[in-house]
Amino acid sequence: MAQVVLRNVGKVYDRKVRAVEGFNLDIRDGEFVVFVGPSGCGKSTTLRMIAGLEDITEGTVDIGGRVVNHVHPKDRDIAMVFQNYALYPHMTVFKNLAFGLMLRKMPKEEIRRRVGEAARLLGIEQLLERKPKALSGGQRQRVALGRAIVREPQVFLFDEPLSNLDAKLRVVTRTELKNLHQRLRTTTIYVTHDQEEAMTLGDRIVVMSNGRIQQVDTPLNVYRRPVNRFVAAFLGSPPMNFVEGTIAREGQRPVFVGGDWLRLALPADQPGVAADLARHEGRPLVLGFRPNAMSEHAAGKFAPPGGGNALRLATTVVEPLGDKIDVSCQTPAGQRLIARIDARDNFPAGQTIEFFLDPEHVHVFEPGEFGPNILRPPA
Amino acid sequence: MIGSARKRLLIALAFLLPNLLGFLVFTAGPVLFSLAMSFTDWALTKHNSFSSTPVRFVGIENYARLLWGDESGFFWNYFGNTVYLMIGIPIGIAGSLGLALLLNAKSSPAGRGSKAWGVGVALAVTAISCFGVWMLTTPGPAPTELTAVKSGEIGLTDLTVFQVDRARSNAAVLAMAVLGAVVAGGMAFGSAFFRTLFYLPSLLAGVAMFLLWKTLYRPRGGLINAGLEPLLNWITHATKQTPEWVWKAGAAGVFGLVAMLAGLTVVNGVRNLGSGVAGAAALFGRVAWAATLLAAGWGVAIVLWRVHGWAADGLKPPDWLIDPTYAKPALIVMGVWCGVGGGNMLLYLAGLSNVPPELYEAASIDGASGWQRFKHVTWPQLAPTTFFIVIMSTIGGLQGGFEQAMVMTGGAAETRVLAFYLYERAFKGTFELGLASAIAWVMFAMIFAMTIVNFRLGSQMTND
Amino acid sequence: MPEQPAQPRTTIVGEGRAGLPISRVAVFAGLTLFGVTAAVPFVWQILMSLATLTDVDLLTQTGFPPTLLPSNYGLVFERVPFAKYFFNSFFVAGWVTILQVITCAMAAYAFSRVQWPGREKVFLLYLGTLMIPGVVLMVPNFAVVLGLGMFNSYWGLIIPGAFSAFGTFMLRQFMLTIPTSLDEAAAIDGAGHWRIFTEVVLPLARPGVIVLAIFCFLGNYNSFFWPLILVKDVNLRTLPLGLLVFDSSYGRETPLIMAASLMAMVPPVVIFLLLNRYLVKGIQLGAVKG
């Protein structure tokens, strides 16, 4: 077991292309950390630098109190599960699991014991004599996992290990992975581009973009208090709605004004926030709210405090999900918004409907892709 | 990327070293060495341990000798022979494509290979041929003339009517046995059987195979002329039955038709002329096609025109390898037979299996006939394969022909190719290594030029 | 005979199975016709090799030798050191194959699995020489072999063939199809480069290695030009040389020539039938993807 500390880690390819920049992170012993971000954001590169599969251009990587920048991967006491599993196709499952132990000159009985144990843990005992070709996708995934477990390393590294599975299996395996981590309590670093996977698995998640860390926090904190518009947009499905506008003042209350169809009184009970909002008065800003912050007028879940948070929107498409429905709407300015509301039969598409927007669940960002959150910055 | 750059370089060098050493000594080094040699007068007879004359730098003298000097007669003659023999290349490629299409097509039993059926037939055929062989080898009334020949009473040429019936029935049984075996194999193992059978000649192409073909080409007692003789006799007979003007009219008709077709092709090409290099390449393709058509038509017309005259004194099969006129065609026929089912056919088969079946389905739904599907789906999809094959065959063709010349004709003048020329100059007589190197580099220049031309034309056509 | 993997075939209603079987019969007939054309010379060769000296000239008239003489095959070995030719061919082709496969596989590993400065440049040099036709190399290689004192020896027959830019190129292409994550997994598992090479990459490149080995063996078994200029000693003659000499000295004895050439054809056929599957795949892989 070990902690992993990254200090100012950076990666530059061929002296030209910068992949990772100024990466600082302390991973506690036994923690499950997920790197998440769109493809090309540098998350895999960072993982590979920790594994020793890429040179570290700048900064230091420290595993268990030892700087490993120039240590061979085999000597870093890590194990890695690859996206394509990287099972040796010409070896049986047993040999695949045992290969790393054999190379470490471990006694035969010890190897057999460890492989047996891992196989039991993963429920692949009956597959040990098969070759990877004869396994299903889920079984291969387990074998890849087993290969990491038998080594009993200080750190597990996962590089998108679930992305080759079908949707159902992915959800099941996700739960098993979490269960496994709770049992083994090994420090784990997990890379994925799937925000749902990140949210469900991580003790903390690291949201990355363009080679930089955008935010590090627990899943719920990141979801509730995204540091900027990028993080807000990346997490959550369907994605957050954004409306451009400005802040005006109505008496004591700051109000977000978007065109002539949106006037939303903002909650400004926190002291710092009110001042911040005041500073941005009159400047172009972006209002962000998740689809489930909207509700249907008729449902009458909460009464509008000032009556100003009602939106009249033209609905275009209705997608039933079961107990919820996703309604695509069009603002008078022609922008598309999505509302996720309680399901009911015969919801009219192609009409203008009145929605409520809950001011307790909106964010205000400065303009631009990485505009900071000024209404609900991370604590 | 594990480890530092320096360490990785050392590891790579360790893995590379054995090969790199050989590569430098036997490939990269010799290339430069050869280029240098081609500008010297190095000859083993002049420069050896007994003579101290230094090797002289002679500039482009070797090249001058080859291209317009004292060696130019040989050089251009052998170059002509090489190009003549390359006629076999397009024929072979077309044949390979045809065989691949046949192998890929659905055939009643060959596609799947219905084992039980096939094995039954195979057993029956084997039994029949065994019976036939037994009949043939059983001592019976000995053919009298054969005994006479064996005892030396009469010569081979004195043979008149030699047990015709017996011989014919032997040949028939033999032919039936071969045919039966092929059919049975095809039924039992499907197209894999035919693929293997077609591939055998190219697998075995070499001295042993050429020796076999040398005997097949024998004017007397060779299998090929034995097969041609009855055919030619029949043609002679048929020719004599019809008046001469019918043949001449036929010749004129064939040539007229072909000329019209060729003309139409070119005219259409000019009318739909595209822009730029692509357009030029397309037009060039059409012109080449028209020229080929015209040449083939001309050949057929000439034969038809003259056949009556020839038939007057009876048509005789040629003396093949011995006759200077027929030696090269003989080599071409053998080359096509050897190469047609070889690597090119396998490449085409691979190309065919890579054509997405949806394309055929879409074309069928769009109403394309079999020929249209070939023209608009198969052929364009095979363009990269054809391109590759043409380039490789051209390179091979310009260098090839040495073994054939050496084995089949003992290096008779009319079959000598550029590779033979190089051998003769470098490793025989005066051992003129300098001159031979120059020959090699001229060949390289030609190959290079041909490849560039192929690339230019080919990349235009594959991009269409 | 191993079947090729089933190709997807389009079945269109109204054509093929449901339609007229005539086209299918015609295809089979065409295949049979060409099959017979390919087979007949070999059948004829067998007949000639079994005939007596007189019968062989009359074979086109009799259609079958009246007396069969299997002893012709034994006679070949009495007339010339045919066993020695066989041995030489196997010895030379075998050693060239072993050495070439080893050197090419190692070089291919360096070109495909190790990142080192200058790799692309050196590889480009290899690629460049692929364009140079073999005839260009004949003369200087002869001079090099002469200079190294390998003229008229096994060394001279084997060593120049022990390295091949083409083989390196082919195996490199093959190794590039093996996912790099396997090496990475092996490296994390604790394997060094030699172990990754022998235990991961080489086993996975086996089809490519086998194809190279077959091509290399068959090519050298049939090789004619190089032994012709290099060998002066009777005891060093390989099969093609031996056959040529046999033909020029005993050319009139057709049955013996045919028996000898038939025997020379047996090993390639056996190799082909055994490894057919790899060869067909290899030709398609090596050329189309390369």
Side-chain angles (χ1 to χ4, degrees):
Chain A
M1 307 276 159
Q3 56 185 25
V4 178
V5 180
L6 291 98
R7 282 280 166 267
N8 276 319
V9 172
K11 174 74 189 178
V12 180
Y13 284 110
D14 301 332
R15 300 203 183 116
K16 289 191 289 273
V17 187
R18 178 164 274 289
V20 179
E21 191 171 6
F23 195 106
N24 279 298
L25 186 66
D26 285 60
I27 299 171
R28 288 184 295 275
D29 185 11
E31 194 178 15
F32 197 124
V33 170
V34 180
F35 295 176
V36 68
S39 62
C41 71
K43 56 189 191 298
S44 277
T45 308
T46 310
L47 187 79
R48 291 167 61 83
M49 284 193 283
I50 299 170
L53 301 174
E54 301 276 357
D55 311 327
I56 298 164
T57 319
E58 311 150 345
T60 56
V61 172
D62 175 314
I63 298 177
R66 178 172 63 132
V67 174
V68 294
N69 281 33
H70 300 292
V71 176
H72 193 273
K74 67 177 186 218
D75 302 322
R76 295 190 182 196
D77 205 3
I78 50 157
M80 182 155 167
V81 176
F82 292 83
Q83 178 172 9
N84 61 2
Y85 314 139
L87 301 179
Y88 309 118
H90 56 296
M91 300 181 189
T92 60
V93 169
F94 181 88
K95 189 98 195 290
N96 262 288
L97 297 187
F99 190 62
L101 305 179
M102 255 166 47
L103 292 179
R104 289 186 162 70
K105 309 244 171 352
M106 195 173 276
K108 280 246 164 62
E109 319 82 73
E110 174 69 3
I111 293 179
R112 206 161 300 138
R113 187 187 65 75
R114 281 207 197 180
V115 171
E117 214 167 80
R120 214 167 312 120
L121 192 65
L122 295 164
I124 51 170
E125 293 147 293
Q126 72 287 1
L127 306 176
L128 286 177
E129 291 315 308
R130 292 211 206 153
K131 289 206 176 161
K133 210 187 279 175
L135 303 180
S136 71
Q139 290 169 331
R140 283 179 210 187
Q141 212 279 330
R142 280 154 188 274
V143 175
L145 214 55
R147 192 167 63 181
I149 291 174
V150 289
R151 293 259 316 282
E152 299 178 3
Q154 291 198 351
V155 182
F156 281 143
L157 305 176
F158 290 93
D159 190 3
E160 309 223 9
L162 303 184
S163 58
N164 282 351
L165 299 179
D166 64 52
K168 260 194 183 147
L169 201 53
R170 197 155 32 193
V171 175
V172 176
T173 317
R174 204 167 70 194
T175 316
E176 285 178 8
L177 263 179
K178 192 155 191 174
N179 192 7
L180 198 69
H181 177 251
Q182 281 165 2
R183 275 209 266 173
L184 297 175
R185 281 283 154 212
T186 307
T187 313
T188 301
I189 305 173
Y190 187 107
V191 163
T192 181
H193 64 269
D194 180 349
Q195 48 93 16
E196 197 180 314
E197 225 169 274
M199 297 281 288
T200 49
L201 279 171
D203 293 334
R204 280 195 296 163
I205 66 181
V206 178
V207 185
M208 293 181 70
S209 174
N210 292 340
R212 288 175 167 280
I213 295 183
Q214 301 297 327
Q215 191 170 6
V216 184
D217 214 329
T218 62
L220 288 181
N221 279 348
V222 174
Y223 185 78
R224 287 178 186 150
R225 294 180 161 273
V227 67
N228 59 27
R229 183 175 166 179
F230 171 83
V231 176
F234 188 76
L235 295 177
S237 169
M240 189 179 271
N241 297 306
F242 294 103
V243 177
E244 288 172 10
T246 51
I247 286 181
R249 191 164 289 273
E250 261 174 22
Q252 277 305 307
R253 301 181 64 89
V255 174
F256 189 90
V257 183
D260 52 2
W261 56 277
L262 174 72
R263 287 186 78 80
L264 184 70
L266 296 172
D269 15 3
Q270 287 162 300
V273 171
D276 236 15
L277 287 177
R279 209 153 31 91
H280 284 92
E281 253 170 61
R283 300 207 196 139
L285 290 171
V286 179
L287 181 77
F289 52 95
R290 300 197 184 276
N292 52 15
M294 288 165 85
S295 58
E296 201 185 342
H297 182 251
K301 267 213 165 163
F302 37 76
N309 58 347
L311 310 178
R312 284 185 62 81
L313 298 169
T315 62
T316 51
V317 178
V318 176
E319 295 163 282
L321 302 166
D323 56 342
K324 293 276 182 184
I325 51 176
D326 279 356
V327 184
S328 294
C329 317
Q330 201 150 20
T331 67
Q335 200 195 341
R336 193 168 154 268
L337 301 178
I338 294 180
R340 174 166 286 183
I341 59 178
D342 289 332
R344 70 170 168 92
D345 288 331
N346 307 321
F347 190 93
Q351 294 182 18
T352 301
I353 301 272
E354 194 151 286
F355 291 96
F356 285 127
L357 177 54
D358 183 357
E360 292 303 317
H361 289 101
V362 300
H363 307 263
V364 177
F365 303 99
E366 288 182 30
E369 197 192 348
F370 296 96
N373 193 346
I374 52 177
L375 186 62
R376 297 174 205 284
Chain B
M1 286 200 287
I2 300 159
S4 67
R6 228 177 79 93
K7 202 173 155 211
R8 278 185 263 121
L9 180 63
L10 285 179
I11 289 166
L13 271 183
F15 274 94
L16 197 57
L17 202 63
N19 196 293
L20 191 63
L21 216 63
F23 175 76
L24 293 177
V25 175
F26 292 106
T27 308
V31 170
L32 301 178
F33 184 36
S34 161
L35 193 61
M37 264 161 85
S38 72
F39 295 107
T40 67
D41 69 343
W42 195 20
L44 286 186
T45 44
K46 275 194 273 178
H47 313 284
N48 53 42
S49 41
F50 304 108
S51 112
S52 51
T53 5
V55 175
R56 261 185 333 120
F57 176 78
V58 294
I60 62 158
E61 193 190 293
N62 286 328
Y63 292 95
R65 284 174 71 194
L66 284 179
L67 297 176
W68 58 82
D70 58 334
E71 291 279 338
S72 64
F74 295 112
F75 178 81
W76 292 111
N77 183 10
Y78 299 162
F79 173 68
N81 288 343
T82 312
V83 172
Y84 189 119
L85 288 173
M86 283 170 70
I87 294 173
I89 292 176
I91 303 172
I93 293 177
S96 298
L97 176 59
L99 289 185
L101 287 172
L102 270 181
L103 282 173
N104 205 48
K106 278 183 262 189
S107 68
S108 15
R112 308 178 301 280
S114 38
K115 291 249 154 74
W117 231 101
V119 171
V121 175
L123 282 177
V125 168
T126 316
I128 292 170
S129 23
C130 284
F131 179 71
V133 168
W134 174 72
M135 287 254 300
L136 292 169
T137 46
T138 323
T144 45
E145 284 189 273
L146 186 58
T147 334
V149 172
K150 273 186 180 168
S151 60
E153 279 172 47
I154 58 170
L156 261 182
T157 41
D158 297 327
L159 283 173
T160 46
V161 193
F162 171 79
Q163 292 286 321
V164 176
D165 293 339
R166 174 76 185 199
R168 273 193 188 156
S169 66
N170 284 358
V173 170
L174 199 64
M176 280 311 296
V178 175
L179 185 70
V182 171
V183 169
M187 285 184 159
F189 300 108
S191 52
F193 170 79
F194 288 109
R195 198 188 60 215
T196 309
L197 191 56
F198 295 163
Y199 191 72
L200 279 187
S202 81
L203 175 76
L204 298 170
V207 175
M209 174 75 78
F210 301 150
L211 287 177
L212 166 62
W213 271 79
K214 206 169 137 184
T215 66
L216 297 183
Y217 270 134
R218 281 186 187 158
R220 313 263 168 276
L223 184 63
I224 288 170
N225 278 0
L228 276 180
E229 214 146 9
L231 186 73
L232 292 176
N233 285 342
W234 180 81
I235 294 178
T236 309
H237 182 72
T239 313
K240 281 181 178 156
Q241 301 290 309
T242 40
E244 190 173 359
W245 66 267
V246 174
W247 293 93
K248 298 212 158 163
V254 165
F255 188 72
L257 202 70
V258 166
M260 210 168 74
L261 262 176
L264 274 179
T265 309
V266 175
V267 167
N268 264 337
V270 171
R271 201 175 285 163
N272 304 331
L273 183 61
S275 59
V277 190
L283 185 63
F284 179 82
R286 275 173 178 271
V287 171
W289 171 239
T292 317
L293 211 64
L294 217 55
W298 179 250
V300 173
I302 286 278
V303 170
L304 286 176
W305 190 267
R306 298 219 178 131
V307 75
H308 208 271
W310 293 335
D313 2 304
L315 292 168
K316 287 270 171 293
D319 286 349
W320 294 116
L321 296 169
I322 299 157
D323 185 336
T325 323
Y326 284 95
K328 280 190 283 274
L331 292 185
I332 291 174
V333 169
M334 181 185 76
V336 169
W337 182 85
C338 278
V340 76
N344 292 347
M345 183 191 76
L346 295 186
L347 285 174
Y348 270 129
L349 270 177
L352 284 172
S353 68
N354 285 339
V355 180
E358 299 83 36
L359 283 184
Y360 290 112
E361 289 162 1
S364 293
I365 290 167
D366 285 344
S369 68
W371 164 248
Q372 284 168 327
R373 282 206 297 271
F374 174 78
K375 192 178 157 196
H376 297 294
V377 178
T378 316
W379 180 244
Q381 288 282 312
L382 288 179
T385 313
T386 307
F387 177 49
F388 178 81
I389 290 176
V390 167
I391 287 190
M392 297 315 283
S393 306
T394 317
I395 294 177
L398 275 169
Q399 291 186 74
F402 172 74
E403 283 178 47
Q404 288 86 325
M406 199 69 182
V407 178
M408 305 284 285
T409 64
E414 63 276 5
T415 60
R416 284 184 198 168
V417 289
L418 288 174
F420 190 92
Y421 184 37
L422 181 137
Y423 166 77
E424 211 179 35
R425 286 294 175 272
F427 306 112
K428 290 231 137 178
T430 50
F431 293 94
E432 291 177 81
L433 298 186
L435 182 67
S437 297
I439 298 174
W441 280 94
V442 173
M443 286 169 76
F444 173 64
M446 287 172 172
I447 288 170
F448 194 73
M450 287 289 271
T451 310
I452 296 275
V453 169
N454 278 337
F455 250 97
R456 277 284 152 79
L457 293 176
S459 60
Q460 289 303 331
M461 291 181 188
T462 38
N463 284 345
D464 279 351
Chain C
M1 224 162 300
E3 285 275 354
Q4 233 189 341
Q7 291 165 6
R9 283 162 197 270
T10 311
T11 307
I12 291 158
V13 178
E15 294 175 16
R17 226 158 152 46
L20 284 174
I22 290 178
S23 69
R24 298 158 73 86
V25 173
V27 167
F28 190 78
L31 287 171
T32 309
L33 176 72
F34 288 112
V36 169
T37 315
V40 158
F42 297 115
V43 174
W44 199 247
Q45 184 182 19
I46 296 173
L47 293 184
M48 287 194 285
S49 73
L50 291 169
T52 64
L53 205 47
T54 342
D55 287 343
V56 80
D57 291 329
L58 294 169
L59 204 55
T60 52
Q61 317 211 20
T62 55
F64 200 89
T67 37
L68 296 177
L69 268 183
S71 58
N72 283 339
Y73 286 83
L75 211 55
V76 173
F77 290 87
E78 287 172 28
R79 290 285 161 84
V80 282
F82 205 66
K84 185 75 187 168
Y85 300 162
F86 251 114
F87 170 80
N88 287 340
S89 272
F90 271 93
F91 185 77
V92 170
W95 269 111
V96 170
T97 305
I98 292 169
L99 292 174
Q100 198 184 104
V101 164
I102 293 174
T103 61
C104 290
M106 283 173 63
Y109 182 85
F111 280 127
S112 66
R113 314 309 274 190
V114 188
Q115 291 273 352
W116 43 283
R119 180 172 92 157
E120 308 314 316
K121 283 185 192 112
V122 177
F123 185 67
L124 214 62
L125 191 66
Y126 269 69
L127 267 189
T129 60
L130 281 186
M131 296 238 317
I132 309 252
V135 287
V136 171
L137 296 178
M138 282 298 168
V139 179
N141 269 350
F142 181 73
V144 168
V145 165
L146 216 57
L148 292 174
M150 294 176 177
F151 179 69
N152 196 26
S153 75
Y154 282 128
W155 292 105
L157 289 173
I158 294 169
I159 297 301
F163 322 93
S164 147
F166 174 75
T168 308
F169 171 72
M170 204 192 96
L171 287 184
R172 170 189 177 266
Q173 296 305 98
F174 208 92
M175 287 182 185
L176 283 180
T177 64
I178 302 170
T180 43
S181 58
L182 285 175
D183 316 21
E184 293 170 354
I188 293 176
D189 269 345
H193 274 287
W194 184 251
R195 214 174 252 281
I196 295 177
F197 174 61
T198 54
E199 291 195 31
V200 178
V201 173
L202 211 51
L204 293 177
R206 207 179 67 159
V209 169
I210 291 180
V211 169
L212 177 65
I214 300 173
F215 279 140
C216 181
F217 187 88
L218 290 179
N220 280 282
Y221 181 87
N222 276 334
S223 157
F224 179 64
F225 200 125
W226 187 246
L228 180 73
I229 59 178
L230 202 78
V231 165
K232 295 288 161 267
D233 192 338
V234 184
N235 283 322
L236 283 175
R237 278 182 195 150
T238 55
L239 270 176
L241 279 192
L243 282 173
L244 187 71
V245 175
F246 190 29
D247 183 58
S248 50
S249 38
Y250 295 92
R252 295 182 51 86
E253 299 194 54
T254 313
L256 297 192
I257 303 289
M258 288 302 106
S261 56
L262 196 67
M263 283 190 282
M265 288 176 182
V266 170
V269 173
V270 171
I271 290 173
F272 178 70
L273 290 182
L274 286 180
L275 302 170
N276 187 0
R277 187 164 48 102
Y278 288 105
L279 200 68
V280 172
K281 211 161 73 183
I283 289 172
Q284 299 171 349
L285 249 177
V288 178
K289 289 190 178 162

